[in-house]
Every structure is written in structure tokens, then in C-alpha cells.
Amino acid sequence: MEASGTDDKVKSMILSAWHNVKYSWVLRTKTYFRRNSPVFLLGKCYHFKFEGTAEDFRKDFISRIWLTYREEFPLIDGSTWTTDCGWGCTLRTGQMLLAQGLLVHFIGRDFWLQNSARKLAPIESSYKDIHPYGTESSKPQAAKENEDQNQAAFYHRKIISWFSDHPMADFGIHRLIKLGKHSGKVAGDWYGPAVVSHLLRKAMEDSVDPELQGISIYVAQDCTIYRDDVYDQQDNSDCDKSVLILVPVRLGGERTNTEYFEFVKGILSLEYCLGIIGGRPKQSYYFVGFQDDSLIYMDPHYCQSFVDVSIKDFPLESFHCPSPKKMPFKKMDPSCTIGFYCRNAWDFERVVDELTKVCMSCDVLQCTVIP
């Protein structure tokens, strides 16, 4: 057992070094976008031919929460692992999709970090407020904006803390690994998108954080969304809950069928879309958009050092990706999970309508909704 533990540590050190060499170079590599083709990012469309639009896209992208391999975090219970480098990429992409759902839930889809650089400004001034709900205040506009900025700052840090690499974090890797044992998974195993979807659902169910009692996760079975089940989760006896809908799908056999690309593009164009847990074979990415026949993604394979989020004003830089990456659709692995956010029953019906239109327009039936 001791020898095996030593082997795991050596293996993880080698993997960390390799991934850092490989992905440090990747992060510095510039991604090019065509000026005359629209770019979609989580339901928003950007036309770079218009002045300022490219910068708006960059600010929008960099404001999404980036969760990557980490090293030197507390030991995962029942193992010798203090890093997920080399095996935890799908767990990380699942975390990113859920983090986006929580950003939308607590702050709004239009949340932007005001400072476009990865070196973020102090917490009091680092956010461009776009808070989507709540009643109008009689306070002066400047005071109201400052209050909303502080609220956005609070939730931004709170959301990141829920994904901390610590055993007590609600959606941290330690919690997901613990839940994975019920599916026969252990630290060091590779996790598929469907398995990760159910781990996130269970983690949300188990959370006792008061802030998370107004949201739940529904995982579709066999590409089928059961309307009554979603309504049951939304119409809770204690409160009306928002629902994150996760739909595991398979877009082909051993390889992704190119006929599904229009379907994927249609999904990523929807305003309620939270992105896709997907990637290449055995290499998971978080797909957030597209341009032409290329998918735009966030890559979890860069190994970074553990961040202690219990420290006041813990550094935020490593939780935001400096630049987007693109990948041809034909290289996409067919196994993936699509995410949607529904704040209420009205949103859910909109998602159903839009999803049905996408499926019909692409002449594919990937998702079914049953009353």
C-alpha cells in the first residue's frame, strides 16, 4: 500500500509538471477570431466588425469562473492524492458549468468583472454591476450602484468558495469524490459527463448552506425531461426553487456526427444555456460558445496551486481564464452534458419551447419533454 501511495505521488508530480509545461504554452498562445463572423458566448452574440464589441466579448469571457487542476490541496480522504492533475478534468468542467449557473442565479448573466485584466481590482471597485432582479430603490443612483456592486462582489467570492479544494466545500473536489464512491468511483479515476451531472445534483441536495436552499439540480434521464418532475422541484413546500437542468446526451457513435453541429450551435445560442460539459476523447473542456465551425471553450488542464479561500480577500486571479480557446467541432467527443438555468416555471416553459425549436430546426431529436 505504501509503495502504491508513493507511486501515485510520483505520478501526480510528473503529470503536474507535464501539464504545466504544455498548458502554460497553450495559455500564451493567441486565439484568432474572424472579424466578419458572429461569435456566440453563452447565449450572447458579438459581432467583432463593430467597434468595441471584441473588447466586450473579452470582458464577458474573462468574467466566467475558471476551475482547473490544483495541487497541494488537503489530502483526499481514503487516498494519497493532493492533486487532481491528470484525472479530474471532467469534475472541473462540471464545476465550471455549475459555477456559471450560480453566477446567473445570484448576480445575473450580464455579470462582468470591471477590470478586464486577470489582476483584479480591490473588491470594492472590481465589478460592473448588472443585477437583474429586485425592486427599484429610492436611494440616489450612485449609492444604489455601489450597493449592487458590493452585493455582486460578495456573491462572486461566495460562489468561488463553494468550489474550494477543501473537504468542507459544498461543490469542492473532495465532496464530489466522496459522493462518487456510491458510483464505484475513487480519486484518480476518470469521470464521464453523465456521472458528474449526478454528482453535482447530489452535492446540491446535500448542501445545508441557507444560500443554496432556493436552487436545485434536475438531471434528465435518457435525454428525456419530465415536466412534472421539474415542476415538483420548483414548487417546493418551503420555497419556490430555481432549477438547473442537466441533459446528458450522446452526439454519435465513436465519433461525433457532424450533423449535430447545428444542434450544438443552436443550444449555445440560447439565453438560458449554461454551456456544455464536453471535450475531446478523454480530455474534458467546458464549451461556452462558437464561431463558424469551431467551439469556444475553457480548459481545466492547467495545474495551479491550491488557494485557501478562508483567507480574507483571497486572490481571485487564478479563477478567471485570460483567453478563450477554439476547437473544430469535428474533434468533439460525442458524450456530453448540456446545462440550462430556469429561475421559475415561466423560464422553464421558455427553455422547453426554445429547445424544441432547436431540435426541430436541426432535424434531430436529442431531447424530449414529457408532460
Side-chain angles (χ1 to χ4, degrees):
M1 178 67 76
E2 185 176 344
S4 176
T6 302
D7 290 344
D8 284 344
K9 289 182 179 179
V10 172
K11 180 181 178 181
S12 67
M13 290 174 63
I14 294 172
L15 284 171
S16 295
W18 162 243
H19 281 286
N20 276 356
V21 170
K22 181 179 180 180
Y23 290 101
S24 292
W25 177 81
V26 170
L27 285 174
R28 291 193 298 268
T29 303
K30 188 173 182 179
T31 300
Y32 291 93
F33 291 86
R34 294 182 60 185
R35 181 178 175 82
N36 295 321
S37 296
V39 179
F40 284 85
L41 178 66
L42 295 171
K44 289 189 173 294
C45 181
Y46 294 91
H47 291 272
F48 288 0
K49 61 184 178 181
F50 299 119
E51 184 177 357
T53 307
E55 179 63 14
D56 287 347
F57 167 80
R58 192 178 73 86
K59 289 179 179 179
D60 192 0
F61 177 86
I62 207 172
S63 299
R64 304 312 108 205
I65 293 176
W66 184 40
L67 299 164
T68 72
Y69 287 157
R70 296 279 173 172
E71 59 184 352
E72 301 174 353
F73 54 60
L75 192 71
I76 295 176
D77 187 45
S79 78
T80 59
W81 293 100
T82 57
T83 178
D84 63 315
C85 186
W87 54 270
C89 58
T90 314
L91 294 171
R92 297 300 186 180
T93 54
Q95 287 179 324
M96 283 190 267
L97 186 146
L98 177 54
Q100 175 61 18
L102 294 173
L103 279 178
V104 173
H105 181 70
F106 288 106
I107 308 175
R109 167 61 185 90
D110 294 325
F111 166 72
W112 279 5
L113 295 168
Q114 189 178 48
N115 190 331
S116 59
R118 289 183 74 208
K119 291 184 177 180
L120 307 179
I123 190 169
E124 292 81 11
S125 61
S126 57
Y127 303 91
K128 175 179 179 180
D129 164 62
I130 312 181
H131 195 63
Y133 53 91
T135 57
E136 287 297 320
S137 171
S138 58
K139 298 178 182 179
Q141 184 65 25
K144 182 178 184 302
E145 287 180 359
N146 185 61
E147 180 181 326
D148 288 345
Q149 288 169 3
N150 290 337
Q151 185 178 38
F154 168 80
Y155 277 116
H156 178 220
R157 286 185 177 272
K158 180 75 170 178
I159 292 168
I160 289 175
S161 72
W162 281 323
F163 296 92
S164 170
D165 299 308
H166 188 278
M168 298 304 294
D170 290 80
F171 309 117
I173 198 161
H174 294 73
R175 182 66 56 86
L176 299 181
I177 294 298
K178 183 177 180 180
L179 294 172
K181 291 180 179 179
H182 298 292
S183 301
K185 294 289 188 179
V186 296
D189 286 351
W190 191 84
Y191 296 70
V195 171
V196 170
S197 300
H198 286 282
L199 296 183
L200 296 175
R201 174 189 59 78
K202 182 60 176 169
M204 183 68 78
E205 286 179 359
D206 291 348
S207 175
V208 295
D209 192 313
E211 296 277 7
L212 294 170
Q213 301 314 298
I215 188 169
S216 66
I217 295 177
Y218 173 85
V219 181
Q221 300 295 321
D222 299 322
C223 301
T224 302
I225 299 172
Y226 291 89
R227 200 183 234 104
D228 287 346
D229 291 343
V230 175
Y231 280 141
D232 287 343
Q233 288 190 211
Q234 287 185 317
D235 189 17
N236 186 275
S237 57
D238 298 323
C239 63
D240 291 334
K241 289 191 173 186
S242 300
V243 177
L244 271 62
I245 297 176
L246 303 182
V247 187
V249 297
R250 190 163 185 87
L251 306 177
E254 293 185 3
R255 296 182 179 180
T256 298
N257 189 329
T258 55
E259 293 180 0
Y260 285 114
F261 189 38
E262 292 304 316
F263 169 76
V264 173
K265 287 165 60 173
I267 292 297
L268 290 171
S269 303
L270 300 180
E271 62 175 306
Y272 298 98
C273 180
L274 297 176
I276 299 173
I277 306 170
R280 303 172 188 258
K282 294 297 181 181
Q283 197 172 55
S284 186
Y285 299 145
Y286 173 40
F287 293 123
V288 294
F290 68 91
Q291 184 182 43
D292 297 327
D293 291 339
S294 293
L295 293 164
I296 300 169
Y297 66 90
M298 298 173 71
D299 193 340
H301 295 90
Y302 183 53
C303 191
Q304 304 187 90
S305 297
F306 166 71
V307 174
D308 185 354
V309 301
S310 67
I311 298 174
K312 184 180 180 181
D313 294 334
F314 61 87
L316 295 168
E317 289 89 346
S318 67
F319 295 102
H320 292 278
C321 186
S323 62
K325 298 301 171 188
K326 293 170 71 176
M327 183 192 85
F329 172 76
K330 62 184 179 182
K331 294 185 178 181
M332 180 183 182
D333 189 274
S335 180
C336 60
T337 290
I338 303 165
F340 302 97
Y341 172 76
C342 305
R343 188 175 296 277
N344 48 41
W346 186 84
D347 276 359
F348 173 58
E349 289 302 326
R350 285 285 305 275
V351 168
V352 171
D353 289 344
E354 295 300 321
L355 186 56
T356 301
K357 290 177 183 177
V358 169
C359 291
M360 293 179 64
S361 65
C362 302
D363 197 26
V364 295
L365 187 60
Q366 267 299 317
C367 303
T368 305
V369 180
I370 296 181

